[in-house]
Amino acid sequence: MKTTANKITMLRVVLIPVFLVLCYTDHRIIALLVFTVASLSDLLDGYIARHYNQISNFGKFMDPLADKVLVLAAMCFFVDEGQMPGWMLSVILFREFAVSGLRLVAAERQHVIAAAWSGKVKTTCTMIGIGPLLVFSQYPWMNLGISAVIVIVTVYSGAEYFVKNIDVFTDAD
């Protein structure tokens, strides 16, 4: 964990509880700033890891985990505050667990599943959508619309992973 890229990833992990405390103490603008820093740190650590050859197994594991926990922490907050229906979070969680399971089965079969473009779009839409959910919580129609876009992109992305990698399940055991 001594690389700069991994240190930036761990900073993102440390920012998650800070973000939540700010949300629950009704400091949403500051929470948005912390969320933005944490989200942008993902781009920075990825760039540093690739550019300076700091790619590590720790980073391959922790970087996507930090992203998921950051986003899901925000969504749990929105469900708790009544800004997002719980079933939408359930759909998002199902997709995350399903794709992670697919990757595990693929890895067991020595098959690498590359990150899909739709997965990157899903992450970007979700991270951008969290901003207005934080700042404009008083508009239920906006909350529902943004949440719906996030769910639609998430479902599409998950379906694409399975369609493109169905051979992981059809290979003979």
Side-chain angles (χ1 to χ4, degrees):
M1 190 187 83
K2 296 178 183 181
T3 68
T4 302
N6 288 344
K7 288 176 184 174
I8 294 169
T9 297
M10 290 311 297
L11 171 66
R12 187 160 60 257
V13 171
V14 169
L15 288 176
I16 295 167
V18 173
F19 166 74
L20 284 173
V21 166
L22 290 166
C23 286
Y24 279 105
T25 56
D26 209 26
H27 293 90
R28 288 181 175 227
I29 299 296
I30 300 169
L32 176 59
L33 293 173
V34 169
F35 183 85
T36 302
V37 167
S39 297
L40 292 175
S41 75
D42 181 38
L43 297 173
L44 180 62
D45 69 26
Y47 171 78
I48 289 172
R50 286 184 299 279
H51 188 66
Y52 295 102
N53 197 27
Q54 295 184 5
I55 296 171
S56 67
N57 287 332
F58 178 84
K60 288 178 190 176
F61 170 76
M62 192 52 102
D63 181 67
L65 180 62
D67 294 342
K68 286 176 185 20
V69 173
L70 175 65
V71 166
L72 292 172
M75 290 184 183
C76 287
F77 170 74
F78 296 139
V79 168
D80 193 36
E81 293 290 302
Q83 287 181 252
M84 176 185 277
W87 70 264
M88 287 185 166
L89 177 57
S90 295
V91 169
I92 292 164
L93 283 167
F94 179 80
R95 182 265 186 212
E96 296 303 332
F97 284 121
V99 171
S100 294
L102 174 65
R103 288 181 184 278
L104 284 173
V105 171
E108 183 179 282
R109 295 176 178 218
Q110 312 303 310
H111 181 83
V112 176
I113 296 178
W117 180 252
S118 65
K120 294 178 186 302
V121 170
K122 178 220 33 132
T123 300
T124 302
C125 284
T126 301
M127 288 183 166
I128 290 171
I130 286 172
L133 287 170
L134 277 169
V135 178
F136 302 111
S137 60
Q138 68 273 25
Y139 300 110
W141 57 270
M142 184 186 297
N143 294 332
L144 191 58
I146 291 169
S147 298
V149 168
I150 290 170
V151 168
I152 290 165
V153 173
T154 297
V155 168
Y156 176 84
S157 167
E160 182 182 53
Y161 271 101
F162 278 87
V163 167
K164 286 187 173 182
N165 296 286
I166 194 68
D167 60 315
V168 168
F169 297 111
T170 58
D171 291 344
D173 282 318

